Amino acid sequence: MFDSLANALPHFRNTNSGQFFLMAGPCVIEGEDMALRIAERVRQLTDKLQIPYIFKGSYRKANRSRLDSYTGIGDETALRILQKVGREIGVPTVTDIHESGEAALVAEYVDVLQIPAFLCRQTDLLLAAAKTGKVVNIKKGQFLSGEAMQFAVDKVRQSGNEHVILTDRGNSFGYADLVVDFRNLPVMQRFDVPVVMDVTHSLQQPNQASGVTGGQPALIETIAKAAIAVGADGLFIETHPTPATAKSDGANMLPLDQLEALLVKLTRVREAIR
């Protein structure tokens, strides 16, 4: 849809565009066929509804509860799949990095470097991502207010990179739950960056005694509608053909066959508030 995602970012602000944009895909890259299948289907839907689309997939899961939790199919293999998705499906791609040494390598394969919420204050990581010149999507820490994310944005911008997105994914509530404070969306928009609501991760129930994160996928539509009504510039939704068999975060992912109906409803909400 755009020749350069970085140049397109101003159009992703809802002050300049009639539609929200979507980051969507599986939690983790499980294989080439599945990644291409998901990306192609979401691209079909978003083209139909004129929604700008960025394919999401983690090339490696570094933040796991248990040592035996699934982490990925291998860094180079997964990164090459992300690159192939971008080229063959014709969409920008985003993946997360966890250490500053990953930034330059991963930037060779994807369009957006994502900073996980737990790491949003890590200065070296933010600077390394910024210096690649790629778009940097910073997830708001579960322990931070929207106001506090100004400093993360400043670190990237003061490194010479103006291409920043902020993503909310809820706030910690007790030991094993999250809540969404929708005030954070307009607060972070004051920093003149596109602001995204991570719908599925905000419905996680972390720190379960089993060591496997739970979730409330029945509330995906509720959170998504509320975010669009508040004026979110974009949505982040993890989706999978069969969440029950997903290698990671299946408990809070949206079944791929339910995405179209949800997006249709969300475009209607967006139209209603314009």
Side-chain angles (χ1 to χ4, degrees), residues 29-37 73 81 84-85 88:
I29 299 297
E30 300 177 11
E32 182 177 305
D33 290 345
M34 180 174 291
L36 289 168
R37 173 186 170 190
I73 59 176
I81 290 172
K84 186 170 184 177
V85 167
E88 293 198 2

Side-chain angles (χ1 to χ4, degrees), residues 17-206:
S17 171
Q19 195 53 272
F20 60 91
F21 68 98
L22 178 68
M23 294 183 178
C27 177
V28 63
I29 299 297
E30 300 177 11
E32 182 177 305
D33 290 345
M34 180 174 291
L36 289 168
R37 173 186 170 190
I38 294 172
E40 183 176 21
R41 179 55 180 155
V42 181
R43 173 71 191 265
Q44 291 171 349
L45 298 177
T46 52
D47 280 357
K48 177 181 176 181
L49 297 170
Q50 297 185 317
I51 297 171
Y53 173 45
I54 302 170
F55 175 81
K56 179 271 166 189
S58 295
Y59 79 96
R60 170 162 40 93
K61 301 302 294 184
N63 179 16
R64 302 286 84 192
S65 297
R66 301 188 331 203
L67 186 60
D68 62 353
S69 296
Y70 182 83
T71 59
I73 59 176
D75 293 358
E76 186 174 354
T77 301
L79 287 169
R80 286 181 175 174
I81 290 172
L82 282 162
Q83 186 178 58
K84 186 170 184 177
V85 167
R87 289 175 175 172
E88 293 198 2
I89 308 301
V91 294
T93 54
V94 55
T95 197
D96 38 335
I97 59 173
H98 300 83
E99 297 180 8
S100 56
E102 300 174 41
L105 171 63
V106 176
E108 296 178 11
Y109 295 89
V110 300
D111 302 282
V112 184
L113 299 181
Q114 183 167 285
I115 308 300
F118 282 131
L119 302 177
C120 68
R121 287 171 52 95
Q122 297 298 103
T123 300
D124 287 349
L125 182 60
L126 288 166
L127 299 188
K131 289 175 182 177
T132 67
K134 297 288 185 174
V135 176
V136 182
N137 178 34
I138 313 171
K139 287 198 171 183
K140 184 186 74 62
Q142 301 92 323
F143 45 87
L144 290 177
S145 67
E147 289 91 339
M149 291 304 293
Q150 173 72 69
F151 305 109
V153 173
D154 288 346
K155 288 175 182 179
V156 175
R157 285 177 166 163
Q158 289 168 12
S159 300
N161 188 337
E162 294 290 332
H163 312 313
V164 185
I165 299 171
L166 288 180
T167 296
D168 192 0
R169 49 101 73 236
N171 280 79
S172 296
F173 184 72
Y175 290 116
D177 207 356
L178 297 167
V179 294
V180 178
D181 181 351
F182 286 99
R183 294 176 298 178
N184 284 322
L185 301 184
V187 165
M188 293 192 295
Q189 284 173 328
R190 296 174 195 164
F191 310 146
D192 196 29
V193 298
V195 172
V196 174
M197 183 72 235
D198 182 344
V199 178
T200 47
H201 282 109
S202 69
L203 291 168
Q204 283 184 330
Q205 294 178 313

